[in-house]
Amino acid sequence: MGRRIAARLGQAIVVVWIVATMAFALIHAAPGDPFAFDAPNVTQAVRQHWRAQFGYDRPVPVQYVLWLRNVATGRLGYSHSLHEPVSQALRDALPRTIELMAVALVFSFGLGVLLALYQVRHRGTRRARWADKTALFFYSLPDFWLALLLLLAFAYWFPILPAGYPVDPVMHAYMGPAAALVDRLRHLVLPALTLVLLTTAVVARFQRSELLEVLPLDFVRTARAKGADDARILHRHVLRNALLPTISLFGLSLPALLGGSVFVEKIYSWQGMGYVTVNAIDQRDYPLVMAGVLVGTAMVVLGNLVADLAYAYADPRLRVD
Amino acid sequence: MSTERPRGLAGSLGALPQGARVALIVLAVLALGALLAPLLTPYEPYQQLGIVHLKSLPPSWTHPFGTDRYSRDVYTRILFAARVSLSIATLAVLVSSTIGLAYGAVSGFVGGWVDAVMMRLLDALLSVPRVLMLIAVLALWSPVPVWALVLLIGLTGWFEVARIVRGQALGLREREFVVAARALGARRTRIIWRHVIPNVLSPVLVAGALAIGGVVILEAGLSYLGIGVQEPMASWGTMFHDATTQFVGTWWAVIFPGAAIVATVLAFNTVGDALRDRLDPHQLPGRPAPADAPPAPPVSILPQEPVHG
Amino acid sequence: MAEPLLTIENLRTYFRTPAGVARAVDGLSLSVHAGQTVGLVGESGCGKSVSALAILRLIAPPGRIEPGSSIRFEGRDLMALAERDMRRIRGNRIAMIFQEPMTALNPVFTVGDQVAEVARIHDGASRADAWRRAVEMLDRVGMPAPDERAREYPHQMSGGMRQRVMIAMALVMKPALLIADEPTTALDVTIQAQILELLADLQRESGMSILLITHDFGVVAETASRVAVMYGGEVVEEAPVKELFAHAHHPYTRGLLAAVPRLGAGRARLRTIPGSVPAPTAWPAGCRFRDRCASAWDRCEREHPAFYQAGTDHHSRCHLVEEPDRRVGDEAAAPTVDVHA
């Protein structure tokens, strides 16, 4: 098992390295000097310092090495639009994105599996067909459009939920702990709901087909021959097997979820990494954009790593090395 | 092992379920709408009809979908934008299907260490969030010409197809007609071209149908952010870009383009689903399998069998 | 004789496919008495496994047990039972073991868990109690270090051990009837012998009946007291084992027996039965074996043979019972393969 962890960790590092390299290539292929931006309070001396730090006056291979070193140590440059080091900007934004995505993941995978079980239990009935169609419908929605609609519906037409900042910008500091928690949760609902609606559909569709794959297998027949009833067969024998590929789906859904959260964060002004990155685009703040992409990728890679290891643990055939 | 070739595409298109037939009709309507756009509306898509009095009008008889804040007719713009969005999506999927097909066919069929290396690279690429990658590239080079946009989207979308094709190719290596071709001395490239590729076209087609919807959404999102399709060209996504600054008051400018997207994507997904159900459902898209985990659930691949009984 | 434990009468199991109705089992009649081992023999695809599944009502659409089929067990008509009552019989009064123990066992549960599950389903046993019984059972079936092995997973075991697990699972509730569907086909020959011996031992101890389904006459010779030969979805011959081997009547049976290669028979060519089994969607009219039978004459085409009595306690579905002179010498006609003994 330890060997497997080491191997996966190695793979993860390779992936991040590849992406960092691609980012480097992109920055250098893009027009302009990243340090020539407009910012009155950044003196020439400071810019020269950065140029040296990133090796802009050195040959490209040296710059590459410096770049890798900087990335590995967290020196990702300076954001002129936010007037702070990039790492600082991300350090604030990252936990907010993680919060949003964690909630979305937990709910969507939980609901997705339940929905799939329902669909399989009642397969062939009208209820199941409607569940199918609903899942397909949500699966086909653009994330930003759904976000806009929900915003429109619940923040403006029927203003019951707030939009925006993770917490109420004005009042939060004055609220007691319970009220503060409620405030946080209220602000979380809409963006999380958007992501959950979309991802649940994906999970449900996938899980359903996996369940149907397992259903005709031999050991299910054995369980029936042992006298097990439908509920036991589905929830114990079939699910336990069909859940394994869902663990992989977890890892694979992270890139898409992160992509979706970019739009959701922008629309709800949820100041996580997606929000920061998108604003950086408008401001042509390249270091911030690049850093956003890098960190996002690193998160995904980490998530995949966890999913891989979880799979290896969950499947007894892989557990014994 | 069966000696018959896998069932081809023509056999599968016939007798699709009802939902899929409706979906095909919807797609046909959309395609026709896009093609015949000028004939279907009296207005021009970029025509500002009267910036003072006619902007931001709610739906009415003269403007079934209302006007946007530049006093352009929304219905007209949706029709013309359909051309852009649909073409971009189709072309991009074509690009990614081609690349994925080639990559997967070579990797799966050649096998060995070549396959191992190619798969590792693929795993790495799959980890990168597509939207983020595109944002990074497009932001740096913005504004990007449409052909470049198509290419970039295509270049970031071939990974899953490659994986599927590779799986199929691996299986096909051992099929009898391939073994026969090799026995007859055919060179590998020839075998790949004439035997492997035609037989993996079905899953590629299914993957393609399911992918077009995703690309429509992706392009719309990128255009909404301002880094996709650029003014003055209009796609469904740019229509959002215009509208959302004041969308509270002009919901029709947001809802209708969105509905168009949803209809399109839903139709493609339905057709893709139906095609997948008709063909062998095992090796097809929508089914992520980690590169070296055992097939779930297991049937045949076992560790060494201990000998005693 | 006392009433049989299991009486199957006119079992018909049809599968409705786009290619037509496949009459996999078409009028099977068979009985098993208490403490008896009955072998059901036939080629692959003759419907024997389907018959076994039908007894436990495990046939899934597009298959269906046709009305008119009767299966009586311990005096009750299984076809008339509600599903809930049928579940109480499965794994409890009638148990079944399958051919491929690797795929028949759930890969994500320990072996002990799977055996214990039977006790939990039928006796409502607690986890600890059921586990204890499972380990006991694994011991009974000859598994070394049963409490350790019980914690292992199916993929960690050899084929023979997995089959023992299946047997343990089947016998936890001490069923009256064990249906064994090709239990040794997937195993090595030496393991085969061990498993068959195990089954015989267990039967002696408990007095249960066994319905042994196989295509291998050698297996039948070892373990069964009666044999029924199946062809074309029906039983074509039935007799006690010794009688069948000594005086096989039906041309198909004779052909099967002649086809078994014998060591020491010199450089004889292997004998086969010419032709192949017709498709279950289109059984020929009259006798279903007639196209492959050297003795067939026009009656065989017209008239579907009844299950004639060919001797005391020996039945054969062949017109030759009534017209023995029609028999044409050696039914196994076309030799094909060279065998070096």
Side-chain angles (χ1 to χ4, degrees), chain C residues 254-273:
Chain C
R254 288 188 159 200
L256 282 183
L257 286 170
V260 177
R262 288 176 217 283
L263 279 180
R267 296 178 142 237
R269 308 186 94 175
L270 270 189
R271 309 186 134 176
T272 65
I273 306 174

Side-chain angles (χ1 to χ4, degrees), chain A residues 105-117 196-197 200-201 203-204:
Chain A
L105 280 171
V106 164
F107 277 94
S108 44
F109 271 80
L111 285 175
V113 171
L114 287 176
L115 187 59
L117 279 173
V196 166
L197 281 174
T200 302
V203 173

Side-chain angles (χ1 to χ4, degrees), chain B residues 17 34 79 107 112 149 160 182 190 246 276:
Chain B
L79 279 180
S107 176
L149 183 64
E160 188 62 30
R182 282 165 105 173
R190 184 183 168 83
Q246 302 217 304
R276 178 178 61 192

Side-chain angles (χ1 to χ4, degrees), chain A residues 140 145 205-206 217 252 281 317, chain B residues 127 135 254 258 269 273 288 297-298:
Chain A
S140 309
W145 193 67
R205 267 165 67 89
F206 179 76
L217 291 180
L252 288 171
I281 294 174
R317 285 156 289 167
Chain B
S127 300
I135 286 180
V254 167
N269 283 344
D273 260 2

Side-chain angles (χ1 to χ4, degrees), chain A residues 20-91:
Chain A
T21 307
M22 288 191 333
F24 177 80
L26 281 174
I27 292 187
H28 277 265
D33 171 6
F35 296 111
F37 46 79
D38 272 338
N41 49 340
V42 178
T43 64
Q44 272 301 328
V46 176
R47 291 177 207 255
Q48 280 303 105
H49 170 74
W50 285 330
R51 283 204 186 90
Q53 190 176 64
F54 280 85
Y56 269 69
D57 38 356
R58 318 274 269 292
V60 176
V62 180
Q63 289 188 39
Y64 179 54
V65 173
L66 284 175
W67 163 256
L68 287 181
R69 184 204 68 186
N70 287 336
V71 167
T73 52
R75 276 185 293 217
L76 296 162
Y78 186 82
S79 157
H80 63 86
S81 61
L82 295 178
H83 311 298
E84 55 178 354
V86 167
S87 43
Q88 185 65 43
L90 291 182
R91 199 170 301 148

Side-chain angles (χ1 to χ4, degrees), chain A residues 8 11 15 18-19 22 25-27 29-31 133 136-137 139-145 148-149 151-152 156-157 205-206 209-210 213-214 217 219 241 244-245 248-249 252 255-256 258-260 262-263 266-267 277-278 281-282 284 286 289-290 292-293 296-297 300-301 304 308 311 315 317-318, chain B residues 120-121 123-133 135-137 139-143 160 163 210 217-218 220-222 224-225 227 237 240 244 247-249 251 254-259 261-262 265-267 269-270 273 276 281-282 286-290 292-299 301 303:
Chain A
R8 289 279 183 276
Q11 259 184 319
V15 174
I18 290 180
V19 178
M22 288 191 333
L26 281 174
I27 292 187
K133 292 196 172 76
L136 187 59
F137 176 73
Y139 182 82
S140 309
L141 292 180
D143 24 28
F144 63 92
W145 193 67
L148 285 174
L149 282 184
L151 189 63
L152 203 55
Y156 290 103
W157 286 341
R205 267 165 67 89
F206 179 76
S209 61
E210 287 303 320
E213 280 252 326
V214 174
L217 291 180
F219 59 81
N241 276 279
L244 290 176
S248 314
L249 179 67
L252 288 171
L258 197 60
V262 166
F263 295 103
K266 174 183 159 75
I267 289 172
T277 309
V278 168
I281 294 174
D282 287 336
R284 298 284 181 262
Y286 299 146
V289 173
M290 276 300 132
V293 173
T297 306
V300 169
V301 168
N304 262 307
D308 263 350
Y311 189 102
D315 189 342
R317 285 156 289 167
L318 296 181
Chain B
R120 283 282 161 266
L121 183 60
D123 279 342
L125 290 170
L126 266 169
S127 300
V128 183
R130 190 180 187 186
V131 177
L132 285 188
M133 193 147 62
I135 286 180
V137 174
L140 284 181
W141 268 283
S142 180
E160 188 62 30
R163 189 213 284 284
L210 290 172
I217 294 182
L218 181 63
L222 292 172
Y224 164 63
L225 289 178
I227 54 179
F240 287 105
T244 53
F247 76 100
V248 177
W251 56 268
V254 167
I255 302 260
F256 290 114
I261 295 181
V262 173
V265 175
L266 197 49
N269 283 344
T270 310
D273 260 2
R276 178 178 61 192
H282 280 275
R287 197 164 303 271
D292 54 347
V299 170
I301 302 174

